Amino acid sequence: MGRRLDHWSGASTEWLGALKADVSWRSALSEEAHLAVVAMFGARTGAWCAQVSAETLEALGSDAAELHQRGPLRGAVELMAAASIARIIRVDPDRVLRDELRRRLAEGFRAGLTLPTVLRALTAAQGVVGQSLLRGVSERVPLASHSVVVRQVMDAMLEAHQHVADEVLELSEVAHAVHDGGARDPSFVHRLMVGGISAEEFQRVTKYQLAGVHVAAVAFSRLSGPDRLRKQAERALRGMGCVQIFDVVVAPTVLWAWGYVPTAEGLRLAPPDPCQYATVTVGLPGQGLAGFAASHDEARALQRMIALSDGRNLGRSLTYREYGAVAELAEHPNRLRRFLTEQLGSLAVDNPKTRDLRATALEYLNTNRSQIETARRLYVSKNTVGYRLHRVEELLGRNIGTDISQLHVALLAAEVLGVSAAA
């Protein structure tokens, strides 16, 4: 879980150990999650997280009395405060905390919390957490280091807020769909994947076969409604060779789908492009119920990755086969940032020349290091390709003909996310 914050050292983080909070503040988290926070940061900082969550609800004014009765909401705010600290000291929150966040939010929506209420609480939490942290900076950090540490704090808070907000939006989409009821709702699919209903019952209700091979897709776009998304997901899965399609409308802008084929021999590796006014992510093929669930998990990981790119991939279909490594790295933004810095160096600068160099290097690796095929795909001469590759090697300080796997992943990340979003 990392070192306790009480014993953290370093000029840019030691001030966190002085956060003022009475250890009598009662946590809104489960005992397991609270112990995880204390083990990671120490009892004093754990109490600080509990205190700022209570102060956040008080800051909401007239709704405070009602909201204080909503333990799930206060717990979510407390976890956001803990996530901010974790990001400042560059520690990944333990899985216990991530699971607790999802459980708390799901409880809240079942108890009647609305999406605006939760998002308003998170916005208020940014203010309360920010004031407390920046007060600590002003009191304990030397003036010469203020600007660096303040930026570090603000980046961590924004990242933590975005992570929690993404979870809120995803779970509210599921809650909205569950309210509509019927066989085609996410709760019915979820019950299948966690063993709440049998494969036989699922097949009887949905008429979708589970015995063969499945490929999952997620279609999403703020420019398209459910009907358009359904057409794009079906086009992608039919284009791969699937003979039966099952889909679930999660929200007006998100659709989950699965394609069935009796055996994997008839499947093609990639869906057709382009996808009009939408993005489609596709998992790996999988056998039976386990494959049904695993492929969906992979397609969702790609969707979370695409959320970082701010519309950059509209009109594309992306497969876990090609972008899976990038999706897993994107689950840990700090690791992705360090990885790109290590692999790309000066190539990570975002300007037209370096974009051309990255695109050329990526196509060169995509085509098994064929300059002729790279030139054909990019509509440039072979001499241009040769010049750009030479320049790439100069900037990287190494030959790109050997040890290429990690460089390939870094170039894919820069291509699908954009350098500014990825790094």
Side-chain angles (χ1 to χ4, degrees):
M1 289 205 183
R3 291 174 285 179
R4 288 164 58 98
L5 191 59
D6 293 345
H7 305 294
W8 200 265
S9 61
S12 63
T13 57
E14 61 183 3
W15 59 274
L16 289 167
L19 291 173
K20 296 178 180 178
D22 189 326
V23 295
S24 65
W25 280 96
R26 187 175 182 84
S27 174
L29 304 179
S30 68
E31 182 178 3
E32 182 184 17
H34 177 61
L35 290 176
V37 170
V38 171
M40 187 181 296
F41 305 136
R44 189 174 184 179
T45 305
W48 175 84
C49 293
Q51 177 180 340
V52 297
S53 69
E55 291 176 351
T56 293
L57 298 191
E58 291 173 0
L60 292 175
S62 60
D63 291 335
E66 175 193 353
L67 294 176
H68 266 300
Q69 298 172 0
R70 305 292 178 91
L73 181 59
R74 181 176 162 186
V77 173
E78 187 172 340
L79 287 163
M80 179 182 153
S84 299
I85 297 295
R87 282 162 171 78
I88 290 173
I89 64 175
R90 302 184 184 281
V91 170
D92 272 332
D94 186 83
R95 178 172 294 277
V96 171
L97 302 188
R98 293 194 291 270
D99 292 345
E100 174 81 356
L101 174 61
R102 295 186 65 83
R103 187 178 70 81
R104 283 290 180 178
L105 291 172
E107 284 178 4
F109 285 124
R110 286 196 298 271
L113 279 176
T114 63
L115 179 60
T117 297
V118 179
L119 293 179
R120 188 155 47 89
L122 294 181
T123 301
Q126 271 195 304
V128 175
V129 172
Q131 288 177 5
S132 181
L133 292 177
L134 294 178
R135 185 165 57 246
V137 172
S138 65
E139 292 175 356
R140 301 299 295 262
V141 176
L143 186 61
S145 302
H146 270 195
S147 60
V148 173
V149 178
V150 167
R151 180 170 181 176
Q152 182 184 17
V153 168
M154 298 306 296
D155 285 348
M157 284 178 51
L158 289 172
E159 190 176 311
H161 181 273
Q162 185 62 52
H163 171 75
V164 177
D166 286 346
E167 296 284 0
V168 168
L169 291 171
E170 179 182 331
L171 287 168
S172 70
E173 289 168 354
V174 172
H176 171 81
V178 169
H179 180 72
D180 291 340
R184 289 177 178 266
D185 83 46
S187 69
F188 193 68
V189 177
H190 177 70
R191 287 169 61 200
L192 169 72
M193 291 192 283
V194 300
I197 60 174
S198 67
E200 291 75 17
E201 181 180 356
F202 183 85
Q203 290 179 150
R204 179 181 60 79
V205 173
T206 65
K207 312 303 181 187
Y208 180 81
Q209 297 296 319
L210 287 173
V213 175
H214 307 278
V215 180
V218 177
F220 51 100
S221 172
R222 299 198 179 279
L223 304 180
S224 300
D227 290 340
R228 275 186 173 180
L229 294 175
R230 179 174 287 113
K231 289 179 181 178
Q232 295 306 317
E234 182 170 354
R235 178 175 180 269
L237 294 173
R238 297 282 187 197
M240 295 181 70
C242 296
V243 297
Q244 185 183 12
I245 309 294
F246 171 76
D247 63 64
V248 172
V249 177
V250 180
T253 58
V254 182
L255 179 134
W256 297 344
W258 289 261
Y260 160 85
V261 65
T263 64
E265 283 75 12
L267 281 175
R268 288 178 277 281
L269 295 180
D273 270 337
C275 306
Q276 294 181 348
Y277 309 111
T279 305
V280 177
T281 58
V282 180
L284 296 171
Q287 180 73 41
L289 177 55
F292 179 94
S295 188
H296 175 67
D297 191 47
E298 292 156 358
R300 290 284 292 111
L302 290 173
Q303 183 197 8
R304 291 192 295 272
M305 173 189 76
I306 297 302
L308 300 174
S309 66
D310 194 24
R312 180 186 182 90
N313 295 282
L314 188 66
R316 297 184 65 184
S317 55
L318 299 101
T319 66
Y320 194 84
R321 184 183 303 278
E322 185 173 8
Y323 292 98
V326 181
E328 297 306 321
L329 272 172
E331 296 281 357
H332 306 279
N334 286 335
R335 295 179 190 174
L336 175 60
R337 186 181 302 116
R338 285 171 55 82
F339 177 75
L340 290 181
T341 300
E342 170 67 23
Q343 289 297 316
L344 297 183
S346 299
L347 274 181
V349 177
D350 197 15
N351 60 49
K353 288 185 177 180
T354 54
R355 284 196 290 271
D356 285 344
L357 294 178
R358 290 196 302 269
T360 302
L362 179 58
E363 284 299 339
Y364 179 65
L365 298 181
N366 285 342
T367 59
N368 199 24
R369 291 174 287 173
S370 169
Q371 291 193 28
I372 295 176
E373 182 63 15
T374 300
R376 187 187 70 80
R377 291 191 181 189
L378 295 178
Y379 302 101
V380 298
S381 69
K382 183 183 175 184
N383 287 341
T384 298
V385 170
Y387 166 77
R388 288 179 181 176
L389 293 176
H390 177 70
R391 182 65 181 140
V392 166
E393 292 181 339
E394 285 184 336
L395 291 175
L396 293 177
R398 64 182 187 274
N399 189 320
I400 65 171
T402 58
D403 191 23
I404 61 174
S405 59
Q406 300 220 77
L407 174 62
H408 198 180
V409 171
L411 290 168
L412 285 169
E415 180 260 335
V416 75
L417 296 177
V419 167
S420 59

